[in-house]
């Protein structure tokens, strides 16, 4: 089985970052084929070729702020996907924020399944807070849920989605303290409706003409 990994990133609008993705194989084989599709909040931002089990691309951070979802998946197998957070800081970003990160697992399910989603905010000095959390599926808000002692948990029924691509889950904590990280993204992999022989990439926003040209090379 192939695994994929991508770190969280941070920067300010206009900065150029290097997004790096690594692949690994259970048999420790070097992966030298295929491409990685990368999206930011469902919009395609690039495709990079895999070489020596790695892929990378440069990306200019857009003129927005907040925490946004990077999703990367491997053209050789749509079940090989990962999500991370791009934190875009404002020019007046504070330096004395509480160090934190949010944990959430990836999920594998069928359309119509009910899954229990859990997320936890981890802070330095183990600060405990209550609040709410916004949950999104591929950028679409699905609900708001309570946060108790840094944790939120809720059930979610998988809709009958059409596209055969990885989907991302996004949970953002609204809490009464200022943290370095208050959101998390993970991957939802669905069992295909039919056996997939090859990957067909969706058009429009996710696959631009420029990216289509790269994929066909």
């Amino acid at each position: 089985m192939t695994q994929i990994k991508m770190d969280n990133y941070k920067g300010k609008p206009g900065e150029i970052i290097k997004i790096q993705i690594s692949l690994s194989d259970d048999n420790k084989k070097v992966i030298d084929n295929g491409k990685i599709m990368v999206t930011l909040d469902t919009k395609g931002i690039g495709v990079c070729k895999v070489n020596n089990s790695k892929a990378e691309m440069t990306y200019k951070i857009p003129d927005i702020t907040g925490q946004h979802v990077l999703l990367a998946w491997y053209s050789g197998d749509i079940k090989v996907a990962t999500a991370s957070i791009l934190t875009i800081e404002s020019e007046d970003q504070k330096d004395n924020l509480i160090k934190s990160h949010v944990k959430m697992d990836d999920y594998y399910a069928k359309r119509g399944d009910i899954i229990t989603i859990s997320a936890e905010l981890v802070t330095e000095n183990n600060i405990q807070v209550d609040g709410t959390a916004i949950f999104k599926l591929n950028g679409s808000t699905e609900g708001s849920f309570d946060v108790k002692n840094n944790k939120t948990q809720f059930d979610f029924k998988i809709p009958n989605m059409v596209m055969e691509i990885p989907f991302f889950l996004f949970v953002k904590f609204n809490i009464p303290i200022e943290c370095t990280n208050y959101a998390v993204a993970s991957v939802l992999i669905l069992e295909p409706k039919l056996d997939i022989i090859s990957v067909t990439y969706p058009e429009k926003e996710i696959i631009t003409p420029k990216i289509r040209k790269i994929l066909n090379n």
Side-chain angles (χ1 to χ4, degrees):
M1 182 178 177
T2 303
Q3 289 86 36
I4 184 170
K5 182 180 179 181
M6 176 174 59
D7 290 335
N8 292 327
Y9 291 90
K10 182 181 296 186
K12 294 182 178 180
E15 288 184 357
I16 295 176
I17 59 173
K18 181 181 289 186
I19 298 172
Q20 298 178 313
I21 301 106
S22 60
L23 296 166
S24 59
D25 184 273
D26 286 344
N27 298 318
K28 297 184 179 180
K29 293 181 180 179
V30 175
I31 301 172
D32 269 327
N33 62 299
K35 297 169 184 175
I36 302 291
M37 174 72 191
V38 183
T39 64
L40 179 71
D41 296 339
T42 75
K43 183 178 181 180
I45 60 172
V47 175
C48 40
K49 294 184 178 180
V50 176
N51 181 34
N52 195 28
S53 300
K54 297 180 181 179
E56 63 179 39
M57 61 171 282
T58 56
Y59 178 62
K60 184 177 180 180
I61 296 176
D63 190 19
I64 54 178
T65 58
Q67 297 201 289
H68 302 267
V69 180
L70 287 168
L71 177 69
W73 78 84
Y74 178 48
S75 65
D77 186 346
I78 64 170
K79 295 189 295 296
V80 180
T82 188
S84 66
I85 293 292
L86 170 60
T87 300
I88 306 177
E89 301 175 328
S90 62
E91 291 298 329
D92 57 353
Q93 183 79 33
K94 295 180 180 179
D95 294 327
N96 58 342
L97 300 178
I98 297 169
K99 292 181 181 179
S100 64
H101 66 276
V102 186
K103 300 189 298 184
M104 181 169 66
D105 292 334
D106 293 333
Y107 292 85
Y108 301 83
K110 300 191 296 291
R111 292 162 175 83
D113 281 356
I114 297 176
I115 61 175
T116 299
I117 296 173
S118 301
E120 180 181 2
L121 174 74
V122 180
T123 67
E124 62 179 348
N125 300 324
N126 195 30
I127 299 171
Q128 298 291 302
V129 293
D130 297 340
T132 59
I134 299 295
F135 168 61
K136 294 184 179 183
L137 172 66
N138 255 39
S140 176
T141 300
E142 300 291 337
S144 176
F145 303 92
D146 291 336
V147 172
K148 297 291 185 183
N149 296 324
N150 295 27
K151 297 179 181 179
T152 186
Q153 182 173 297
F154 50 90
D155 291 337
F156 177 67
K157 184 175 181 179
I158 307 297
N160 187 26
M161 294 175 287
V162 175
M163 292 189 293
E164 300 286 4
I165 61 172
F167 296 86
F168 68 78
L169 307 174
F170 175 76
V171 173
K172 176 184 174 182
F173 282 68
N174 295 315
I175 48 178
I177 59 174
E178 294 183 296
C179 301
T180 53
N181 292 292
Y182 49 85
V184 66
S186 67
V187 172
L188 171 64
I189 301 294
L190 298 180
E191 288 189 11
K193 290 184 175 181
L194 300 171
D195 290 337
I196 298 176
I197 298 174
S198 62
V199 175
T200 300
Y201 293 93
E203 299 291 344
K204 299 183 180 177
E205 285 192 354
I206 294 181
I207 299 296
T208 63
K210 182 178 179 181
I211 292 176
R212 167 66 61 190
K213 184 176 179 181
I214 296 172
L215 286 168
N216 289 336
N217 288 337

